[in-house]
Amino acid sequence: MHEHTTPDAGVPAGADQQDVPGTLASAGKNHGRKASPRGASRVPGGKGRVASVAGVAAGVLIIAGAGAVVAAGSLVPAPSSSRTVPAAEAAVPAGASVGVCPGPARLLEGTEAGTDAQFRPESASAATKVTAAVLSAGGVLPGSRLAHLDGTAAVDISKDPGPAPTPGAPQQLLAGVLADRTVDQVSVLSANPVANQNASAAGAMKYTASDGDLRGSAAATCGQPSNDQWLVGAATTVGRTSVLALTNASSTPATVSLELFGAGGQIQAPGSRGLLVAPGTTRSVVLAGLAPNESRLGVHVRSAGGPVAASIQQSVLRGLTPGGVDFITPGTAPAIRQVMTGVDIQDPAGVAALTAQTAYKDAGPALELTVPGASDAVVEVKLYGRDGQHALPSGGVITAKAGSTTEVSLSGVPAGQYTVSASSDVSFVAAARISRGLQAGQPSDVAWASSAVRLGSQHIVPVPKGGLRQLVFGALDARATITYAPITADGKVRAPATADIAGGTTASISIPDQAEGSDVVGCAVSASGDAAAYGAVLVGQDGRNDVSSLAFLAAAAGQETVPVKLGY
């Protein structure tokens, strides 16, 4: 190392040179003093030496102090920018329960080349009616009504509630009922919450016609609006008409996008994205304009902004012979198991003879599967009848291609009512086709059973008046106990009955026209235990081939909470 001497070598780093003796800055103040022959590093006189030492010491203290501050600063933890507070459960205020009932079935007018629907008048005998029921909570019946989509022509089902019953007093289960209300357009069922609980309410519409191209019956539950829903069972081949209805019952505009899955894969259709549905309106989309000549079609409806209620009016015309009409309603979301119950299958020999004829290939019962993901689904299909499981002639294991819709025939099992269970290791959606009528050239009917929700407590099940009406229940893996109580037109919930259903079977219960002298217009249904049980309402007509299937809506949710995390 080389020794290097500077004129201010004795000055501590960072010291003020104007105040430290022996620096170049201080030389001007002492120009009458003789300079040291040893250079500026020599401090002349005793007092100057003491001052210089003191300055050096002070400089050392400053450096030491600065180091202490730096060291101390490194030991103090910096404030965290991701500090979290344990999540608290925040109650979500209950809102009004809303159900959108499809309008009457109508014939398209003109060509199907476009996507915007234009309708011509329906047949002279066509009639569309809505039946609804709402139950009390805590002895209080919530305010409810049925109205047109624009809020007009409202009819009260039950008035806004008065004071709550006295605590401890017996609370009778009450019902508000609307029976067979004639409608001529889309209608909206609404029920207010009670004590911050969602109301238990449900409605169903039923269309019937004895003449015209839309002869038959069609029924649908009044669906709850959603931003994401799936519909399976549409067809756009010759003689098959599918019209998708998108209804926005909210006060917020909805922008809807459609994903279409056909037999050959997903269909990229211009005009299927960015469909605007204004508040208080219904937009009808002719699916043949987006996906022509598709024998089977699954539709994924997504909306941004306001939620929408979606349904598909599906009708069949075989030459000049009416082949049935129905409303396809959304089923459950994609899952690895889907269940459809109330699937009515006719005589297998008669079905085989009919479907062998031209234009009647889709006249038999079938299961349709849509796989939205990128992987094929190996699906196992099981049918549970009155006396247990029945095997399909095909073996019941099929591969459903990714991004497409696959059909599985359900023909070949003995006539009866079944619960269909389909399971895979890949999520899919499903629906089952029900057919009625075995004579070619004679009017027939069709219905679609969408995938069902698992039964819980207190499902409100509206039942349209007239015809043959059956509750159909299926239990898959274990014995199920199901309680059902008739709801009558006079607003009473009658004494409940209980059905004990063995695992792996399906049971049907006829719904009487009346109970204790009043018309039965619905049921309150509950399932107990851990058994996987499912239900549907099957509606028919004496002397005619009419058939319709109504899915159960999910039970009303209790007070809901969401976790809320706070941080800064």
Side-chain angles (χ1 to χ4, degrees):
M1 297 178 64
H2 298 282
E3 183 178 352
H4 180 68
T5 303
T6 63
D8 56 350
V11 181
D16 187 350
Q17 294 182 355
Q18 293 181 351
D19 300 328
V20 180
T23 66
L24 292 176
S26 63
K29 297 179 182 180
N30 301 308
H31 44 264
R33 185 176 295 174
K34 189 175 180 179
S36 170
R38 295 186 180 182
S41 61
R42 179 178 176 81
V43 181
K47 292 182 179 180
R49 186 183 302 275
V50 172
S52 179
V53 172
V56 172
V60 173
L61 289 174
I62 291 172
I63 294 174
V69 171
V70 173
S74 65
L75 294 176
V76 175
S80 172
S81 61
S82 60
R83 183 183 177 191
T84 59
V85 176
E89 294 291 329
V92 178
S97 299
V98 175
V100 177
C101 314
R106 290 189 171 95
L107 284 169
L108 283 175
E109 184 175 64
T111 177
E112 297 180 3
T115 59
D116 293 327
Q118 293 182 344
F119 299 102
R120 66 176 184 262
E122 60 274 8
S123 67
S125 63
T128 303
K129 298 181 179 181
V130 170
T131 296
V134 56
L135 290 191
S136 62
V140 176
L141 196 60
S144 57
R145 67 176 191 163
L146 184 77
H148 288 167
L149 190 55
D150 60 3
T152 62
V155 54
D156 287 332
I157 299 174
S158 52
K159 299 288 187 180
D160 286 328
T166 305
Q171 296 180 357
Q172 182 181 5
L173 190 60
L174 306 174
V177 172
L178 185 70
D180 260 14
R181 177 80 177 189
T182 299
V183 297
D184 60 1
Q185 57 183 280
V186 173
S187 51
V188 179
L189 170 68
S190 61
N192 300 328
V194 174
N196 207 26
Q197 301 287 323
N198 292 322
S200 292
M205 64 80 67
K206 180 183 178 182
Y207 161 91
T208 58
S210 58
D211 68 322
D213 291 346
L214 296 182
R215 174 174 174 169
S217 68
T221 51
C222 301
Q224 298 171 343
S226 172
N227 292 103
D228 194 298
Q229 47 205 313
W230 289 83
L231 303 98
V232 180
T236 60
T237 52
V238 175
R240 282 73 180 161
T241 303
S242 295
V243 182
L244 171 66
L246 303 170
T247 299
N248 183 1
S250 75
S251 58
T252 303
T255 302
V256 178
S257 294
L258 308 178
E259 291 181 320
L260 307 171
F261 300 86
Q266 188 168 355
I267 301 165
Q268 303 299 331
S272 61
R273 304 298 175 100
L275 303 174
L276 180 63
V277 185
T281 65
T282 294
R283 180 167 183 169
S284 297
V285 179
V286 181
L287 292 179
L290 300 175
N293 201 33
E294 287 289 337
S295 60
R296 47 188 181 270
L297 191 64
V299 182
H300 183 198
V301 179
R302 292 185 297 174
S303 66
V308 298
S311 63
I312 296 175
Q313 178 191 311
Q314 177 71 41
S315 59
V316 179
L317 191 63
R318 308 182 196 279
L320 298 177
T321 304
V325 60
D326 196 36
F327 289 97
I328 300 172
T329 55
T332 55
I336 59 173
R337 182 161 79 170
Q338 301 286 3
V339 179
M340 289 69 48
T341 193
V343 180
D344 187 82
I345 296 179
Q346 301 178 97
D347 173 65
V351 171
L354 181 65
T355 55
Q357 300 185 47
T358 303
Y360 284 87
K361 291 182 179 180
D362 60 351
L367 174 67
E368 290 196 1
L369 312 167
T370 298
V371 182
S375 300
D376 294 350
V378 178
V379 183
E380 183 179 17
V381 180
K382 296 180 180 179
L383 271 67
Y384 300 102
R386 181 182 299 275
D387 54 352
Q389 184 176 344
H390 290 260
L392 284 174
S394 61
V397 177
I398 56 95
T399 298
K401 295 294 184 180
S404 63
T405 299
T406 302
E407 183 172 296
V408 183
S409 174
L410 299 179
S411 302
V413 297
Q417 293 166 356
Y418 291 86
T419 298
V420 180
S421 171
S423 57
S424 175
D425 58 350
V426 174
S427 293
F428 63 97
V429 291
R433 184 174 66 226
I434 305 168
S435 60
R436 185 68 61 82
L438 295 175
Q439 298 296 321
Q442 296 295 320
S444 57
D445 202 8
V446 65
W448 284 92
S450 56
S451 52
V453 298
R454 181 172 172 173
L455 292 184
S457 60
Q458 197 167 288
H459 297 263
I460 309 305
V461 182
V463 180
K465 293 177 63 177
L468 303 174
R469 310 178 299 174
Q470 292 177 302
L471 287 171
V472 184
F473 298 114
L476 299 188
D477 307 316
R479 183 175 294 274
T481 300
I482 299 174
T483 301
Y484 56 97
I487 300 172
T488 51
D490 57 2
K492 294 182 179 180
V493 181
R494 304 294 177 172
T498 299
D500 191 34
I501 304 174
T505 67
T506 296
S508 60
I509 300 163
S510 294
I511 302 173
D513 292 336
Q514 292 188 333
E516 300 181 30
S518 184
D519 292 341
V520 175
V521 295
C523 293
V525 177
S526 298
S528 58
D530 297 328
Y534 300 84
V537 176
L538 202 60
V539 179
Q541 190 74 32
D542 277 329
R544 293 173 52 180
N545 289 325
D546 293 5
V547 62
S548 298
S549 177
L550 289 168
F552 286 13
L553 293 177
Q559 184 168 352
E560 298 181 2
T561 59
V562 295
V564 178
K565 294 183 180 180
L566 304 177
Y568 61 87

